[in-house]
Amino acid sequence: MENIILIFVCLIIGFLLQKIKDFPSNSHQVLNQFVIYISLPALALFYIPKIQISSDLLYSLAVPWVGFVLSFLFFSILGKKLGWSKKLIGCLVLTGGLGNTAFVGFPVIEALYGKQGLETAIIIDQPGTFVVLATLGVLVASYYSRGEASASMIVKKILLFPPFIGFVIAALFNVFQYDFVEELQSVFQKLGSTVTPIALIAVGLQLTFERKSKHWGFLTLGLAFKLFLTPAIFYFVYIIILGKTGLIMDVSIMEAAMAPMITASILASTYGLKPKLSSMMIGFGIPISFLTLAFWYWILQTF
């Protein structure tokens, strides 16, 4: 419960800091860079060496990867047909394709399904959502942030993306079944724990409530895709078509229904992909998702 409270407290703090004239106007940019250069690599170095993936969890691991591809196809095709700007398409691909499978996902899944459900959620988040962010996420952000970015430039951005570097190091430790000494693990855990409060304050600093904003329609479409269409697709494929049932499938669908990923918004903002809209996707998406998650939990328990 304290994690949920922290979400709203940090958003409110960031929003109120906008009203302080002496507070630097570029503060959100500094906070975004701290998350990308420090918090996210530390998170990878702490969690990934400990992960054990079995064949039973491949369906879960597919959720963030397939979900991101679906988001890319949906918004890129729709955006081209409707004449959207590349920055708008990139923003919606990132925030509609990556879910908050960790900070919102972990406490929700643990509360509903216990420790066993949490183990599945960690698989979805770390080698799933986190790695998608560090690879495909950076690829999309690089391409849509400017004109025709060259392949070499995009590859360079991915390879030099701090969370990706952290992931590669952590993955090598995992492959060779090593982990860092306990003192370093503690340091990584504490640095990684700064992701949510800092990222949410940065989101709050950019969050605006403009009645006549041109973003309301895109916000509605983005959240409808993330909170309803994405989990509906996985429910249809996994449960209706393949006939899969059980805890792993339930957790997978619930994680597919999570609100947009906080750090996806940070990535979109850092690359100049409609920062206001990306912040709105988080600011409105998280509270709304508690209602839609209740709906999906009811569906899974009833049918």
Side-chain angles (χ1 to χ4, degrees):
M1 185 63 183
E2 62 270 18
N3 285 349
I4 307 303
I5 295 172
L6 181 61
I7 287 174
F8 291 102
V9 168
C10 290
L11 281 172
I12 292 169
I13 288 173
F15 184 73
L16 293 177
L17 287 175
Q18 295 182 35
K19 313 301 179 184
I20 300 177
K21 293 182 179 180
D22 292 335
F23 206 76
S25 59
N26 68 335
S27 297
H28 65 279
Q29 296 174 344
V30 176
L31 295 178
N32 289 348
Q33 293 301 318
F34 183 89
V35 168
I36 288 174
Y37 279 83
I38 306 296
S39 306
L40 289 177
L43 205 61
L45 293 170
F46 177 74
Y47 278 109
I48 290 177
K50 302 173 178 60
I51 288 174
Q52 295 181 345
I53 300 177
S54 67
S55 58
D56 294 337
L57 291 169
L58 291 179
Y59 287 105
S60 299
L61 184 56
V63 167
W65 290 91
V66 174
F68 190 83
V69 172
L70 290 173
S71 178
F72 173 78
L73 293 174
F74 181 83
F75 290 114
S76 61
I77 293 173
L78 185 63
K80 286 181 180 178
K81 286 187 176 182
L82 297 179
W84 294 351
S85 69
K86 293 187 70 172
K87 291 187 176 182
L88 175 58
I89 295 172
C91 174
L92 289 173
V93 169
L94 287 171
T95 54
L98 290 163
N100 199 323
T101 51
F103 197 74
V104 175
F106 288 176
V108 168
I109 295 302
E110 186 174 15
L112 296 176
Y113 299 102
K115 293 292 183 182
Q116 191 176 358
L118 185 59
E119 292 176 4
T120 302
I122 290 173
I123 294 297
I124 294 171
D125 181 70
Q126 288 299 304
T129 305
F130 183 87
V131 180
V132 174
L133 173 77
T135 54
L136 299 183
V138 178
L139 177 64
V140 166
S142 300
Y143 177 75
Y144 284 107
S145 63
R146 58 189 70 208
E148 297 296 327
S150 66
S152 60
M153 180 186 298
I154 292 175
V155 170
K156 182 179 179 181
K157 284 183 177 291
I158 293 174
L159 294 178
L160 296 180
F161 188 53
F164 181 76
I165 295 172
F167 163 73
V168 171
I169 294 171
L172 289 173
F173 271 70
N174 184 291
V175 168
F176 294 105
Q177 298 184 340
Y178 286 105
D179 203 345
F180 296 94
V181 296
E182 290 187 8
E183 291 79 6
L184 271 179
Q185 290 184 47
S186 179
V187 170
F188 293 147
Q189 185 179 28
K190 290 175 180 176
L191 287 173
S193 68
T194 63
V195 166
T196 298
I198 292 179
L200 281 169
I201 289 174
V203 169
L205 281 165
Q206 301 170 83
L207 192 59
T208 56
F209 299 91
E210 301 174 9
R211 291 184 180 181
K212 297 182 179 180
S213 173
K214 60 182 179 181
H215 295 313
W216 290 113
F218 301 121
L219 173 69
T220 302
L221 180 62
L223 291 181
F225 177 86
K226 184 69 195 74
L227 303 180
F228 285 105
L229 185 57
T230 299
I233 291 173
F234 282 105
Y235 181 87
F236 181 75
V237 173
Y238 283 3
I239 295 181
I240 304 299
I241 295 181
L242 298 179
K244 298 291 182 179
T245 58
L247 178 67
I248 290 178
M249 293 301 110
D250 286 0
V251 172
S252 299
I253 292 165
M254 289 295 289
E255 285 282 45
M258 290 295 163
M261 186 185 192
I262 297 167
T263 40
S265 171
I266 296 295
L267 184 63
S269 177
T270 300
Y271 278 78
L273 303 176
K274 302 294 181 182
K276 287 188 177 181
L277 176 59
S278 67
S279 296
M280 290 171 71
M281 287 286 286
I282 301 299
F284 289 96
I286 290 176
I288 292 172
S289 72
F290 291 117
L291 299 175
T292 55
L293 284 170
F295 166 77
W296 284 110
Y297 183 71
W298 175 77
I299 290 290
L300 291 168
Q301 296 302 306
T302 305
F303 299 100

